[in-house]
């Protein structure tokens, strides 16, 4: 297993190449056995929320990675319990209390099973593993973009908007923080820290996510081939450029004029420099729900997963 922290982009590859976890039953440690049982119940939803897990057990999940001794806030590890036959994402944070207090059991929010407090104000979050990675990973390459047909992109927008609307804390809904599970269902990732530049209900990052899904390009030239730069600069009124000219070719023909106009109006409203003019999270949910119900796309024609 990895001997150093990994990025979210490496998790799927690690899933394939990591050796089986050692048999927990071989250990005589009561903490390991107790930790395993606690996590088993948390996965089944019987604990009622995130629980405090023994440090020794979380280190066991990390295998050879020294997650309890060298982790820094933002570090990501892959954890595995061979007996539970489960894989987990383990994220280091220096803001555990805020994250745990603001966590809600939303269907489209990555599940937070538990945490373990270390020294130096660092804690490890034990989270649901998102097998398909993040929206950012899909949009980085054409092979990923083709899997996100128009209907699914609308669903990602709607599901993410619902999480944002229900959150009492600021959320950074960037494409790197919106994941997809085995069935490509949307899962907004639990953050390693609450964004300090944002505020509850702020929709700016959501607008960037919408533009990325419409254009198939990542903000600031993050995609392999589609380079559109900074969206706020590119689509400023004085630039003369419009999103309609940059639509992702894979879904260009799937948008009706009315649907496209509504999506672009929402996205541009979210990145408006005047915060007071940005749409509310409630409006996002209402409008995207209406759009989703009107989408006349045969999903199976584009769905290759």
């Amino acid at each position: 297993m990895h001997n150093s922290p990994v990025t979210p982009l490496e998790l799927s590859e690690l899933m394939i190449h990591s050796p089986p976890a050692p048999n927990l039953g071989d250990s005589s440690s009561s903490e390991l056995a107790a930790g395993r049982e606690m996590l088993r119940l948390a996965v089944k939803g019987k604990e009622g929320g995130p629980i405090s897990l023994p440090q020794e057990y979380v280190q066991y999940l990390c295998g050879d990675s020294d997650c309890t001794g060298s982790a820094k806030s933002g570090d990501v590890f892959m954890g595995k319990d061979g007996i539970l036959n489960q894989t987990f994402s383990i994220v280091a944070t220096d803001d555990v209390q805020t994250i745990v207090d603001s966590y809600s059991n939303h269907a489209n929010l990555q599940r937070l099973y538990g945490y373990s407090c270390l020294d130096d104000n660092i804690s490890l979050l034990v989270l649901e593993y998102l097998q398909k990675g993040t929206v950012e990973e899909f949009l980085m390459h054409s092979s990923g973009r083709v899997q996100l047909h128009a209907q699914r992109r609308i669903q990602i927008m709607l599901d993410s908007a619902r999480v944002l609307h229900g959150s009492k804390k600021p959320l950074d809904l960037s494409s790197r923080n919106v994941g997809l599970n085995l069935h490509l269902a949307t899962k907004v990732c639990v953050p390693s820290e609450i964004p300090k530049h944002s505020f509850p209900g702020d929709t700016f990052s959501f607008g960037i996510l919408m533009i990325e899904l419409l254009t198939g390009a990542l903000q600031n030239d993050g995609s392999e081939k589609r380079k559109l730069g900074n969206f706020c600069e590119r689509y400023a009124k004085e630039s003369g450029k419009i999103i309609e000219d940059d639509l992702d070719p894979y879904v260009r023909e799937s948008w009706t004029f009315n649907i496209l106009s509504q999506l672009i109006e929402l996205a541009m409203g979210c990145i408006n420099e005047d915060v007071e003019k940005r749409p509310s999270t409630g409006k996002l949910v209402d409008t995207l729900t209406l759009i989703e119900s009107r989408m006349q796309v045969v999903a199976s024609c584009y769905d290759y997963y």
Side-chain angles (χ1 to χ4, degrees), residues 233-247:
E233 296 174 1
R234 184 176 183 84
Y235 301 121
K237 288 183 179 180
E238 58 271 19
S239 72
K241 293 184 172 62
I242 56 175
I243 294 177
E244 289 92 328
D245 292 338
D246 292 331
L247 293 176

Side-chain angles (χ1 to χ4, degrees), residues 13-170:
E13 189 173 332
L14 275 174
M15 176 72 172
I16 297 173
H17 298 293
S18 295
N23 192 332
L24 186 59
D26 292 341
S27 174
S28 61
S29 169
S30 60
E31 282 200 11
L32 291 183
R36 181 183 67 188
E37 179 62 12
M38 292 165 66
L39 185 54
R40 184 185 71 82
L41 293 174
V43 170
K44 288 183 174 294
K46 296 182 183 274
E47 291 291 346
I51 57 174
S52 177
L53 293 166
Q55 186 178 135
E56 184 179 357
Y57 177 68
V58 176
Q59 176 57 68
Y60 155 75
L61 290 176
C62 292
D64 294 336
S65 299
D66 185 21
C67 61
T68 59
S70 61
K72 302 181 295 298
S73 184
D75 285 348
V76 180
F77 304 86
M78 189 180 77
K80 190 170 184 179
D81 188 314
I83 288 182
L84 293 180
N85 193 28
Q86 293 256 191
T87 302
F88 304 92
S89 291
I90 298 177
V91 179
T93 178
D94 59 4
D95 203 11
V96 65
Q97 197 61 55
T98 302
I99 291 170
V100 170
D101 289 346
S102 62
Y103 177 76
S104 63
N105 192 24
H106 192 287
N108 296 115
L109 185 65
Q110 181 185 26
R111 290 187 65 191
L112 171 58
Y113 301 123
Y115 57 92
S116 182
C117 297
L118 312 179
D119 298 328
D120 301 322
N121 297 318
I122 295 294
S123 298
L124 296 175
L125 306 174
V126 180
L127 298 153
E128 172 185 8
Y129 177 69
L130 302 179
Q131 296 93 330
K132 291 294 186 177
T134 65
V135 171
E136 179 184 65
E137 294 173 75
F138 276 86
L139 296 181
M140 195 167 290
H141 310 288
S142 57
S143 59
R145 284 166 43 220
V146 73
Q147 297 183 59
L148 297 182
H149 57 67
Q151 183 71 34
R152 191 172 301 285
R153 297 188 195 204
I154 293 291
Q155 195 65 55
I156 291 171
M157 294 177 194
L158 176 56
D159 291 340
S160 300
R162 285 171 172 160
V163 174
L164 182 62
H165 182 57
S167 176
K168 297 178 181 179
K169 298 289 183 180

Side-chain angles (χ1 to χ4, degrees), residues 238-303:
E238 58 271 19
S239 72
K241 293 184 172 62
I242 56 175
I243 294 177
E244 289 92 328
D245 292 338
D246 292 331
L247 293 176
D248 190 340
Y250 287 119
V251 295
R252 182 188 299 274
E253 302 303 320
S254 300
W255 314 107
T256 67
F257 176 79
N258 287 337
I259 285 176
L260 185 58
S261 297
Q262 286 182 293
L263 290 172
I264 291 174
E265 182 181 357
L266 271 187
M268 293 302 295
C270 288
I271 64 172
N272 194 312
E273 290 184 357
D274 187 343
V275 174
E276 297 298 323
K277 293 183 179 180
R278 294 176 187 173
S280 68
T281 57
K283 181 177 180 180
L284 292 180
V285 173
D286 291 343
T287 305
L288 288 169
T289 298
L290 182 62
I291 290 174
E292 194 273 337
S293 69
R294 290 177 174 174
M295 278 294 291
Q296 300 298 315
V297 178
V298 180
S300 59
C301 293
Y302 301 92
D303 197 347

